[in-house]
């Protein structure tokens, strides 16, 4: 069964510093890959997605992610974080051609921004 | 903009009560999903539906049922609520076109006392 690993439960970053959130998936083929963000008390908002093509994808709010097939990774990055980026971040995968379109989520990384 | 609306943001129910969580989407999406979210466990799929009156079990269906009588509405039912069903519940619908993106509602935080 496919699985998604986000190895960091919590990450603390100073405002203005760079950020990288890690995501690894376990699946034989290349799935669809997503990053979602959840602000406190809110639903999930899509930051970016990768289906095929250029392995560096740009998303909203200044985020980007790079797909590395050899490492089965899809890490999320931002060059300079803002206090408003404090949130929970979820990596998710979807089986290509899967009939139900269901997503498998990682357990999330809680991002804390220090002033 | 796609909109997925969950009827309640917060609910407090008593053990043994029958609980209905409602979700409506306005984009004519065929597939809809119910997840529960718990700290340290991420999101887990309870049930999904790929058409009216069609449903499939997800990873943790025990203690839940669903109803999809109309395309835009997908209801999650707790037949007899228990304290271990205290959680955040998230509904989603998916655009099966080019984007294949799941759109989420704001969530319902359910407390069962």
């Amino acid at each position: 069964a496919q699985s998604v690993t986000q190895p960091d439960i919590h990450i603390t970053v100073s405002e203005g510093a760079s950020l990288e959130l890690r995501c690894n998936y376990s699946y034989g083929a290349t799935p669809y890959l997503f990053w979602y963000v959840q602000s406190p008390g809110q639903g999930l908002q899509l930051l970016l997605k990768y289906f095929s093509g250029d392995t560096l994808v740009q998303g909203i709010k200044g985020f980007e992610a790079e797909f590395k097939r050899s490492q089965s990774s899809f890490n999320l990055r931002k060059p300079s974080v803002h206090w408003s980026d404090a949130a929970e971040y979820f990596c998710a995968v979807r089986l290509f051609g899967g009939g139900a379109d269901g997503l498998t989520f990682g357990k999330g990384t809680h991002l804390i921004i220090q002033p | 903009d796609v909109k997925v609306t969950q009827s309640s943001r917060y609910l407090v129910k008593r053990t043994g009560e029958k609980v209905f969580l409602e979700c409506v989407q306005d984009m004519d999406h065929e597939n809809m999903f119910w997840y529960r979210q718990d700290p340290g466990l991420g999101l887990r799929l309870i049930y999904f539906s790929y058409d009216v009156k069609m449903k499939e079990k997800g990873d943790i269906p025990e203690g839940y049922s669903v109803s999809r009588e109309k395309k835009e509405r997908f209801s999650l039912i707790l037949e007899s609520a228990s304290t271990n069903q205290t959680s955040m519940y998230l509904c989603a619908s998916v655009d099966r076109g080019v984007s294949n993106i799941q759109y989420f509602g704001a969530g319902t935080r359910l407390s069962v006392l």
Side-chain angles (χ1 to χ4, degrees), chain B residues 15-34:
Chain B
T15 301
E17 279 193 75
K18 190 169 185 176
V19 181
F20 292 86
L21 303 183
E22 305 287 345
C23 175
V24 177
Q25 50 95 3
D26 66 356
M27 283 301 292
D28 203 35
H29 289 169
E30 292 172 337
N31 291 8
M32 297 185 72
F33 304 83
W34 275 106

Side-chain angles (χ1 to χ4, degrees), chain B residues 66-77:
Chain B
V66 290
S67 173
R68 185 120 181 249
E69 296 297 318
K70 293 184 178 182
K71 192 174 186 179
E72 66 270 18
R73 186 181 297 271
F74 190 35
S75 303
L76 180 69
I77 304 160

Side-chain angles (χ1 to χ4, degrees), chain A residues 53-92:
Chain A
D54 191 345
T55 56
L56 183 64
V57 293
Q58 303 296 321
I60 62 171
K61 306 186 181 194
F63 286 91
E64 66 178 26
E66 186 172 13
F67 167 60
K68 292 186 177 180
R69 184 188 307 273
S70 60
Q71 298 176 18
S72 296
S73 70
F74 188 56
N75 293 349
L76 182 71
R77 301 194 295 247
K78 187 170 185 178
S80 176
V81 298
H82 185 262
W83 63 267
S84 61
D85 293 324
E88 191 87 15
Y89 291 80
F90 293 94
C91 181

Side-chain angles (χ1 to χ4, degrees), chain B residues 50-66:
Chain B
Y50 50 89
D51 204 349
V52 174
K53 297 191 185 296
M54 306 302 285
K55 59 186 179 184
E56 291 287 343
K57 294 180 180 179
D59 299 320
I60 52 164
E62 295 78 20
Y64 303 94
S65 63
V66 290

